[in-house]
Amino acid sequence: MIHLLFVDDEPAILEGLENRLRRMRKRWSMRFVESGVAALAAIEQQAPDVVVTDMRMPGMDGAQLLAEVRQRVPGSVRILLSGYSDPEQLVRAATRADAILAKPCDLAELQSTIERCLHVLDSVSDPEIREIVGRVDTLPYLPAVCTALEEELAHDEPSGPRVAAILEDDVYFSARTLQVANAFSHGNVGSVGDAVDLLGVQTLRVMALSVGLFESVAPRVQLDGFSLQQLEQRGILAARIAERLVSEPHRNAAFSAALMHDLGRLVLAAHAPERYMRARDLCLSEGIAFHEAERRLTAVTHGHVGGLLLARWGLPSEVVEAVTHHHSPSRARHDAFEILGAVHVATWLAGWVEHEQLGETLDPDVPLPALDLAYIEAMGFSERIPAWKSLALENARTPVVA
Amino acid sequence: MSEEVLQRRLDRARAKVKILEGMIEEKTRALYLSNEELADANRYLTLLYDVMPGAVLVISADGVVERVNNVALSLLGHAAEQVVGQPATRLSSELAELSDDQPSKFECEFNCVDGGAVPVLVSWAPIRAGESTEFVVVALDLRERQALEVELRHAQKLESVGQLAAGVAHEINTPMQFIGDNVYFLQEAFEDLVRVHGLLVRVHESSGAGTLDEALRVEASEAIEEADVPFLMERAPRAFERTLEGVERVSSIVSAMKAFSHPQTEKTVADLNELVKTTLTVARNEYKYVADVDMDLGEVPMVSCHAGDLQQVILNLVVNAAHAIQSTLDDSRTKGSIGVRTEKVADQAVLTVSDDGSGIPEAVQPRIFEPFFTTKDVGKGTGQGLAISYAIVTEKHGGSLTFDTEVGRGTTFTVRLPLGTSDVQAAPAVASKTGVGAP
């Protein structure tokens, strides 16, 4: 039985939903409450699997309620169902909801959205990871990128391409921008450039200035073997390589996925440092790569963590898949070398170049992940490895972080 | 008389003549100079007379137009001979009001040759001309200013309608959502009941034949179970009610919106209570999250008014009340209240809008009716609402707009509109109209 909680200040809406969802009642246990406060009380009684809330309500509004739900039941699905379209409110809601639905909304859409969101959660078996990911409100970012963004947005007429280029210098900013763009468009936005075009610079201003999305106090991470600068740098290097490994129309998505391939590592370092260090200790004692240590501990890697976060944030499935399986593409059922293949090879190459050439790498004491040779062979690309290496070296010569 | 004496007299006389000649010469020069000055002044005045962008009329003590400048002729569309020598009251009855008292100014309308009327601001002063008194009248064309005022009011209304649009969409989407849900439910319920009914008819037929088909009976009871008939019976009547209520809500919003945005250039007779109701319906989304509205609409006779403009006033006052309340809300107080009252007091229709919001600080009070004065954040208000409301109530309707406020307790705005004289003229706005009888 799936537990759903519906929140709306209009009793007629709740009655209508209850009537319409009558045929679901064998599979869904549904409760209907008329305010945010009543919703929190209902959550105390029984944790719901799904919360569906209206936006504008007297007292606590939908976005505030979703922030509370994020804290109290991080493993639940959060959906906003609203007839309101104020951009500032939508941005606030978009960063807290798994999906935004507009009233009037038909049952099929509501049902498929709920099931899709539940399916995303089910894809990760570890409940602790589901909670860690569900609770993410903010992540570490590079202050220099934040400053550059603020400066560009303060111009009378900021340039969309410049804003996109700045956002692409940071993993968290890129992921957030893609989240809001996907929430606004119910769509398939895989590149930051498209996201900026779709949202428009005004909405980005709202995100940056009114909502303060890019200025919220990010947790400072101070862990042995973790460097935000190095993580961002590897992401950017991998992104540049990945977009050269595939042809259109996959280049932008490959770039984004490679850029954000270590998002899960960022989540763990910032929000589950003990878990991160447990895995790292195992790396040092056993001499194995980070994701292998994670696999030995709980079978869930930081690829899954990043993939789950991006899936909840509504990113296109090919990006999610590439991030999830970037260590071992052969684990995904895929028969073409597309985004996933490019991200796998590019992240491996980025690590290799850093190690061999730049001498600066994310965590020098931990062995790098290996290339998935079985996969490369199955794709018939074994002979390309030398060419890939020279491509990586070429990209490494240009500095990646401003 | 000796020759010597005569000689001296002659010398003195000559000397006198010389002095006189000198004096004459000096006077002549002075006269010439002052003539020149006079001519300069005259040229200057004549130039001024025709260059100044106002109509100048000189009116004799008995009310006849004696002189006019070119601006006056082009303003009135008359030829000089049609105006000069004619009674000034032909241009405007208000020109009969000029008297010996101190000069002043007022607004009135001049009749033109084409039968139209031009609104003007008249300034005048008496001037002594020999025995009698003349009046110099300068009239400024107010058409452009009035057009700008209308435009500004219109712009503010459009702005508020624009802001309302998102709220109205939400107000419509909410009933659309539950209408859709309920109709969908009723459709399903009907399908289920048809199926149950069909099975029951077959059960009935087979039992009539004396042989109850057990399999059929089981199927029917399963169908009844499946359809959850008690739930349907309990919910269906309410679902119908809700659906009708929703349809009612949508149509009342749509008709209120229509009444709200309907442009009117002339005064019409309108029901003030109806204006209050339509405005509150349209603006519901602007206040319902912060306040409950308590409407107390008394018996008020029909008012001759610019209905659209009065709706704009009501909207501005209600939205301001909601904003004043919003800033006072917190966890312990999630909603305030707005009171809207109408009543007839003596020969006035009185509308009050009161809130239990933040109140207006004393320092700000003298300025609230100033155009572009606002204490709201950028993007939340342009400072036009109250200034325009004030102009609408006082200038267009001859009424008054006042307020009573206490910081921390709330504010009450009171609109008073004159009743009875159904053809109330727009009262002149110029406060210095003293010494002139009111129309």
Side-chain angles (χ1 to χ4, degrees):
Chain A
M1 203 72 153
I2 298 163
H3 290 274
L4 295 98
L5 180 62
F6 291 88
V7 192
D8 200 303
D9 60 320
E10 182 87 53
I13 291 273
L14 294 177
E15 272 174 39
L17 281 170
E18 188 174 3
N19 287 342
R20 174 171 248 185
L21 298 172
R22 180 180 67 106
R23 287 195 175 161
M24 300 302 296
R25 69 195 188 288
K26 297 239 168 68
R27 287 163 48 208
W28 289 0
S29 142
M30 296 173 273
R31 288 178 294 168
F32 300 86
V33 294
E34 289 178 26
S35 71
V37 175
L40 295 183
I43 287 171
E44 285 303 310
Q45 276 179 3
Q46 159 136 41
D49 300 301
V50 181
V51 176
V52 181
T53 179
D54 185 24
M55 181 68 204
R56 285 198 78 181
M57 297 184 285
M60 186 185 302
D61 72 14
Q64 287 170 310
L65 173 62
L66 291 181
E68 286 291 328
V69 173
R70 182 170 65 196
Q71 278 308 308
R72 297 179 192 210
V73 255
S76 66
V77 170
R78 307 182 287 263
I79 293 173
L80 188 89
L81 176 61
S82 174
Y84 215 71
S85 55
D86 173 62
E88 185 174 333
Q89 298 203 357
L90 279 182
V91 169
R92 281 172 60 224
T95 59
R96 295 162 188 189
D98 295 84
I100 295 181
L101 296 174
K103 282 181 193 165
C105 158
D106 68 32
L107 176 67
E109 193 184 359
L110 178 63
Q111 211 175 318
S112 68
T113 303
I114 289 173
E115 276 167 6
R116 180 172 50 77
C117 292
L118 285 169
H119 180 73
V120 163
L121 283 181
D122 283 346
S123 67
V124 172
S125 55
D126 184 341
E128 189 191 333
I129 287 295
R130 289 207 295 257
E131 298 221 338
I132 291 167
V133 169
R135 204 173 273 131
V136 169
D137 48 1
T138 181
L139 287 170
Y141 55 81
L142 294 172
V145 177
C146 187
T147 311
L149 181 66
E150 280 172 1
E151 275 171 12
E152 183 61 34
L153 289 174
H155 285 181
D156 287 342
E157 282 179 24
S159 124
R162 266 207 302 273
V163 170
I166 293 168
L167 289 168
E168 278 179 344
D169 277 344
D170 186 86
V171 170
Y172 169 60
F173 287 0
S174 297
R176 267 293 188 218
T177 309
L178 285 165
Q179 176 193 25
V180 175
N182 278 291
F184 274 34
S185 65
H186 305 280
N188 230 357
V189 188
S191 87
V192 174
D194 289 349
V196 169
D197 285 347
L198 191 134
L199 293 171
V201 170
Q202 276 314 320
T203 306
L204 283 158
R205 271 207 179 125
V206 168
M207 286 167 69
L209 307 174
S210 315
V211 181
L213 203 53
F214 302 134
E215 301 160 11
S216 51
V217 183
R220 280 184 67 82
V221 179
Q222 281 182 310
L223 295 175
D224 285 344
F226 180 86
S227 152
L228 179 61
Q229 188 82 25
Q230 292 295 334
L231 184 145
E232 302 266 8
Q233 180 172 315
R234 184 180 292 181
I236 293 168
L237 184 53
R240 285 186 182 177
I241 298 168
E243 72 174 342
R244 307 270 303 267
L245 296 178
V246 281
S247 51
E248 292 297 358
H250 302 301
R251 288 208 163 141
N252 285 338
F255 183 96
S256 300
L259 179 70
M260 300 184 291
H261 75 277
D262 258 351
L263 185 67
R265 198 193 270 263
L266 193 57
V267 170
L268 292 174
H271 295 287
E274 294 88 24
R275 202 179 160 112
Y276 187 97
M277 289 316 284
R278 244 192 347 265
R280 184 170 184 269
D281 289 345
L282 195 64
C283 296
L284 297 179
S285 62
E286 301 286 313
I288 50 177
F290 196 76
H291 71 281
E292 284 169 44
E294 287 178 302
R295 233 174 235 154
R296 285 198 198 170
L297 288 170
T298 66
V300 174
T301 69
H302 62 276
H304 293 101
V305 174
L308 178 59
L309 186 66
L310 292 176
R312 290 200 69 167
W313 286 9
L315 269 75
S317 56
E318 66 268 20
V319 173
V320 171
E321 188 198 44
V323 170
T324 306
H325 297 293
H326 74 268
H327 299 109
S328 350
S330 49
R331 286 181 178 236
R333 290 178 306 257
H334 230 287
D335 34 19
F337 183 92
E338 282 171 359
I339 299 167
L340 172 59
V343 171
H344 170 65
V345 173
T347 52
W348 174 77
L349 284 171
W352 173 80
V353 166
E354 282 178 1
H355 206 262
E356 297 294 311
Q357 299 294 320
L358 303 175
E360 277 187 346
T361 186
L362 186 55
D363 193 351
D365 303 331
V366 171
L368 287 167
L371 196 59
D372 190 341
L373 287 169
Y375 173 80
I376 301 296
E377 202 156 311
M379 292 289 146
F381 283 178
S382 305
E383 285 145 34
R384 295 200 184 178
I385 296 175
W388 284 340
K389 283 187 171 173
S390 46
L391 173 69
L393 286 168
E394 198 181 301
N395 273 285
R397 281 191 203 105
T398 42
V400 289
V401 175
Chain B
M1 204 176 290
S2 71
E3 194 178 327
E4 195 179 329
V5 172
L6 284 172
Q7 186 60 40
R8 270 205 308 270
R9 278 186 183 175
L10 184 61
D11 287 348
R12 275 208 298 275
R14 279 189 178 140
K16 257 185 193 165
V17 167
K18 198 160 193 178
I19 289 169
L20 282 172
E21 274 176 358
M23 281 171 71
I24 287 168
E25 199 174 318
E26 201 170 297
K27 288 285 178 198
T28 308
R29 199 184 5 251
L31 187 63
Y32 173 77
L33 285 176
S34 87
N35 267 341
E36 280 293 291
E37 265 173 36
L38 205 60
D40 273 354
N42 204 19
R43 271 198 297 278
Y44 178 72
L45 283 175
T46 312
L47 189 68
L48 195 65
Y49 186 67
D50 280 322
V51 162
M52 66 176 292
V56 179
L57 301 96
V58 179
I59 299 171
S60 68
D62 48 1
V64 172
V65 177
E66 302 200 318
R67 281 197 305 283
V68 292
N69 67 351
N70 292 333
V71 178
L73 295 176
S74 67
L75 178 72
L76 297 165
H78 290 286
E81 56 271 22
Q82 291 170 287
V83 183
V84 175
Q86 300 295 323
T89 47
R90 282 207 190 168
L91 298 176
S92 164
S93 57
E94 302 211 19
L95 291 178
E97 311 271 351
L98 309 182
S99 73
D100 253 354
D101 302 349
Q102 72 224 64
S104 72
K105 41 185 171 176
F106 57 86
E107 282 180 29
C108 68
E109 287 185 344
F110 276 3
N111 300 314
C112 299
V113 70
D114 59 2
V118 181
V120 285
L121 173 66
V122 168
S123 323
W124 62 275
I127 182 168
R128 291 270 157 214
E131 299 291 285
S132 64
T133 303
E134 288 184 338
F135 298 97
V136 175
V137 172
V138 178
L140 296 176
D141 187 350
L142 290 182
R143 280 176 299 192
E144 196 177 335
R145 194 189 86 186
Q146 289 188 346
L148 284 175
E149 283 171 358
V150 168
E151 229 166 81
L152 186 63
R153 269 199 279 273
H154 190 62
Q156 201 257 341
K157 179 153 185 179
L158 278 184
E159 184 191 298
S160 44
V161 168
Q163 283 166 356
L164 287 180
V168 168
H170 186 243
E171 284 299 297
I172 290 177
N173 280 339
T174 299
M176 291 310 278
Q177 173 79 43
F178 68 74
I179 290 169
D181 286 343
N182 280 319
V183 170
Y184 185 94
F185 161 70
L186 291 168
Q187 185 187 22
E188 274 188 348
F190 185 75
E191 282 165 9
D192 287 359
L193 289 175
V194 164
R195 182 159 171 267
V196 168
H197 177 259
L199 285 164
L200 288 180
V201 166
R202 284 169 60 199
V203 169
H204 176 71
E205 283 166 358
S206 77
S207 69
T211 52
L212 182 61
D213 182 342
E214 182 56 23
L216 190 60
R217 198 193 59 78
V218 170
E219 195 187 341
S221 60
E222 275 173 6
I224 291 170
E225 170 75 26
E226 179 68 25
D228 197 356
V229 175
F231 181 87
L232 296 184
M233 292 302 175
E234 185 203 322
R235 304 290 291 223
R238 183 115 176 101
F240 280 114
E241 268 172 44
R242 284 293 199 194
T243 304
L244 292 173
E245 181 195 312
V247 170
E248 181 64 32
R249 252 167 74 175
V250 172
S251 65
S252 75
I253 293 163
V254 171
S255 60
M257 199 64 200
K258 228 167 88 188
F260 186 83
S261 52
H262 189 63
Q264 266 160 342
T265 48
E266 286 177 300
K267 277 193 180 176
T268 52
V269 174
D271 180 348
L272 183 61
N273 290 344
E274 205 50 44
L275 297 183
V276 169
K277 280 190 244 168
T278 53
T279 308
L280 287 176
T281 303
V282 171
R284 184 163 173 265
N285 203 65
E286 308 303 307
Y287 58 76
K288 70 170 181 181
Y289 298 103
V290 297
D292 294 314
V293 168
D294 180 22
M295 261 200 277
D296 178 9
L297 305 181
E299 275 195 29
V300 180
M302 300 294 268
V303 188
S304 167
C305 62
H306 296 274
D309 287 344
L310 280 191
Q311 284 173 320
Q312 195 176 349
V313 172
I314 300 165
L315 174 70
N316 287 337
L317 295 180
V318 169
V319 168
N320 277 352
H323 286 167
I325 289 169
Q326 180 133 44
S327 60
T328 66
L329 299 183
D330 54 31
D331 287 348
S332 59
R333 174 178 143 97
T334 57
K335 254 189 180 185
S337 89
I338 297 175
V340 182
R341 274 175 69 89
T342 58
E343 60 186 327
K344 177 181 182 293
V345 178
D347 58 349
Q348 288 181 320
V350 178
L351 163 77
T352 59
V353 176
S354 50
D355 65 69
D356 57 356
S358 52
I360 305 168
E362 204 167 327
V364 171
Q365 286 175 19
R367 303 192 58 193
I368 63 165
F369 293 122
E370 280 176 25
F372 302 105
F373 177 77
T374 183
T375 57
K376 293 174 189 172
D377 291 341
V378 174
K380 303 281 179 191
T382 55
Q384 297 277 57
L386 279 177
I388 279 167
S389 299
Y390 188 81
I392 289 172
V393 173
T394 59
E395 290 174 31
K396 291 194 99 175
H397 294 89
S400 69
L401 174 59
T402 55
F403 64 95
D404 187 16
T405 185
E406 193 181 330
V407 172
R409 298 291 295 273
T411 305
T412 298
F413 277 91
T414 305
V415 177
R416 290 191 177 81
L417 300 170
L419 284 171
T421 47
S422 61
D423 54 349
V424 189
Q425 288 287 317
V430 182
S432 60
K433 189 191 173 183
T434 48
V436 177

